[in-house]
């Protein structure tokens, strides 16, 4: 099969694969830049982190709102996909839950800035919040159920309650360098665990 068209250009499939790779690279870079510099960071900073030209970013994301929305969805998907993988690879269901919550906290740190950026456009933000719940609540439920079934944690904790509680503990992290929400989240998780017999 020829690798180039008669005009000497790569086939369409190769172009689509390159475009998809570029898009994923931009999303990853933008998420990293948003954490360190906020969602108003210059596009050139994101382009430099991604190793692409600014035109590539604008081709995929014509407006900043498009980029912010895509990063938000990208972060949700990464967090959702991690749950089953962790459950399959971690030493125990409670270890998988802890590792997933650590990723979820990382996501919330990014999401906080993204949510602030999108609050001025509530029509765009509302479906993203629904998407967030639709994708992540079932993953959290799966991890909780597995940890309960293994006897690691007490039954009765609802996924929404846990996610909401973790979200509330993350509030204020950016404005107070003395506050580390992960310490309180660890205490929360310890409180969920069943006491081990002596």
């Amino acid at each position: 099969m020829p690798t180039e068209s008669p005009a000497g250009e790569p086939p369409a499939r190769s172009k689509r694969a390159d475009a998809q790779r570029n898009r994923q690279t931009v999303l990853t870079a933008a998420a990293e830049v948003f954490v360190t510099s906020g969602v108003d960071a210059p596009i050139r900073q994101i382009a430099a982190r991604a190793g692409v030209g600014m035109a590539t970013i604008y081709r995929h994301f014509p407006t900043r709102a498009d980029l912010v929305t895509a990063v938000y969805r990208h972060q949700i998907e990464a967090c959702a996909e991690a749950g089953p993988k962790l459950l399959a690879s971690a030493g125990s269901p409670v270890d998988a839950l802890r590792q997933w919550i650590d990723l979820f906290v990382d996501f919330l740190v990014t999401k906080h800035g993204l949510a602030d950026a999108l609050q001025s456009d509530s029509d765009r933000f509302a479906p993203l919040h629904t998407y967030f719940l639709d994708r992540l609540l079932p993953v959290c439920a799966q991890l909780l159920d597995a940890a309960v079934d293994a006897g690691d944690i007490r039954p009765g904790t609802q996924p929404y309650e846990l996610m909401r509680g973790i979200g509330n503990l993350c509030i204020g992290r950016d404005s107070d360098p003395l506050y580390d929400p992960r310490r309180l989240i660890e205490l929360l998780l310890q409180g969920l665990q069943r006491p081990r017999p002596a």
Side-chain angles (χ1 to χ4, degrees):
M1 177 186 280
T3 57
E4 293 192 350
S5 69
E9 295 180 358
R13 182 179 301 161
S14 175
K15 283 185 176 180
R16 282 195 301 272
D18 288 346
Q20 185 60 28
R21 269 194 304 276
N22 282 343
R23 187 176 194 279
Q24 292 301 316
T25 300
V26 167
L27 290 174
T28 300
E32 293 167 358
V33 169
F34 288 167
V35 169
T36 57
S37 305
V39 293
D40 293 323
I43 296 297
R44 67 179 172 277
Q45 186 179 348
I46 296 168
R49 175 72 66 95
V52 301
M54 288 175 58
T56 298
I57 294 181
Y58 286 118
R59 185 163 52 250
H60 290 288
F61 311 105
T63 68
R64 184 176 295 271
D66 293 329
L67 178 59
V68 169
T69 301
V71 167
Y72 187 80
R73 285 181 168 267
H74 180 64
Q75 296 284 302
I76 291 171
E77 282 306 310
C79 200
E81 291 168 6
K85 292 176 184 173
L86 289 170
L87 202 50
S89 64
S92 69
V94 75
D95 288 341
L97 178 63
R98 284 176 182 281
Q99 291 173 44
W100 185 80
I101 286 173
D102 199 44
L103 292 174
F104 182 59
V105 171
D106 288 341
F107 165 74
L108 290 177
V109 170
T110 305
K111 174 196 171 289
H112 178 69
L114 297 175
D116 287 348
L118 292 170
Q119 278 176 351
S120 61
D121 188 359
S122 59
D123 288 344
R124 183 184 288 269
F125 183 65
L128 284 176
H129 183 67
T130 301
Y131 182 71
F132 166 82
L133 293 176
D134 288 349
R135 290 293 287 134
L136 297 187
L137 277 176
V139 176
C140 187
Q142 181 185 21
L143 290 162
L144 277 172
D145 289 346
V148 168
D149 291 346
D152 292 331
I153 65 171
R154 297 179 176 93
T157 302
Q158 298 300 313
Y160 181 79
E161 290 174 332
L162 181 60
M163 289 171 58
R164 181 70 184 261
I166 291 167
N168 287 341
L169 289 174
C170 288
I171 293 172
R173 175 199 169 272
D174 294 336
S175 59
D176 186 352
L178 299 177
Y179 177 60
D180 180 6
R182 290 182 197 273
R183 283 173 37 85
L184 292 180
I185 291 165
E186 178 57 31
L187 290 174
L188 170 63
L189 292 177
Q190 287 175 18
L192 293 179
Q193 287 188 248
R194 283 182 183 273
R196 291 294 178 192

